[in-house]
Amino acid sequence: MSETLDLLKTQADKMGVKYSPNIGEAKLQEKINEAIIKESEKPVKKAASAPETKEEKRARKRKEALELVRVRVACYDPTMKKKAGTYIMASNGVVGTVRKFIQFNKPWFMPRILVNVMRESEYQGWIEGKSQYGITQMVSSMEKRYNVTELAQITPQELENIKKRQTVTESLQD
């Protein structure tokens, strides 16, 4: 048996590659190469780091909740249709109280926690329905109050265009 074949067999044994006792050098090298390729395709596990402390977890949760998201909000509530916007508020033990004025039907930046609150917000709507005896009556249903559409974040080029437009028109409308 050649020295190369012995080295390949010990390498295959270390890697856990199964082979026949009378295998040739070329075939064994192919099996080892396939095992190396399979091993490199596996996702790399992160090194075991220290568990997250309460303070780190709290800071991470706060950062996630206060992350600014670019959205467009449409209001479905008929009692609020004529308003230009509304104040929305949310609070919890990690973030505290967050309160913002949100304009309807315009691109707007708002914290993630408020986006979640607006998505869950509902109002009681009334529609005409018929009872079992054919009598027309009003039936209540819970309807979504807002349609919140997430928009792509502003690119640096778009930000520059907005700055130029605001300086030329001397306004902050955009």
Side-chain angles (χ1 to χ4, degrees), residues 52 148 161:
E52 194 175 42
V148 181
N161 292 342

Side-chain angles (χ1 to χ4, degrees), residues 127-131 133-138:
I127 56 173
E128 280 190 13
K130 295 203 178 222
S131 68
Y133 303 110
I135 300 171
T136 303
Q137 61 185 21
M138 298 303 286

Side-chain angles (χ1 to χ4, degrees), residues 58-119:
R58 188 177 184 91
R60 180 179 52 81
K61 292 281 190 184
R62 180 175 172 79
K63 184 178 178 183
E64 289 171 5
L66 294 178
E67 170 194 17
L68 289 179
V69 181
R70 189 169 173 236
V71 295
R72 182 183 307 262
V73 178
C75 183
Y76 291 153
D77 189 346
T79 62
M80 299 175 68
K81 281 287 187 189
K82 293 183 181 178
K83 293 184 178 180
T86 186
Y87 279 97
I88 191 84
M89 183 175 75
S91 66
N92 64 25
V94 175
V95 179
T97 302
V98 180
R99 184 174 191 227
K100 299 282 184 206
F101 180 80
I102 307 301
Q103 281 194 334
F104 297 142
N105 302 316
K106 288 189 178 183
W108 205 255
F109 283 98
M110 57 192 285
R112 171 73 62 194
I113 190 170
L114 296 182
V115 171
N116 296 340
V117 167
M118 290 187 94
R119 282 203 171 120

Side-chain angles (χ1 to χ4, degrees), residues 5 7 21 25 28 48 55 64 67 71 84 101 107 113-114 116 122 129 133 145 151 153 158-159 164 167 170-171:
L5 186 59
L7 289 173
E25 285 181 26
L28 186 57
E55 291 79 22
E64 289 171 5
E67 170 194 17
V71 295
F101 180 80
I113 190 170
L114 296 182
N116 296 340
E122 295 181 333
Y133 303 110
R145 178 168 282 155
L151 305 172
Q153 295 294 348
E158 289 173 323
L159 191 59
K164 287 177 187 174
T167 54
E170 296 178 357
S171 72

Side-chain angles (χ1 to χ4, degrees), residues 4-19 28-29 31-33 35-36:
T4 311
L5 186 59
D6 287 336
L7 289 173
L8 289 173
K9 283 185 177 183
T10 55
Q11 184 179 2
D13 290 337
K14 286 180 184 176
M15 295 177 65
V17 175
K18 296 187 178 179
Y19 57 91
L28 186 57
Q29 185 65 52
K31 285 190 172 226
I32 291 173
N33 290 343
I36 291 172

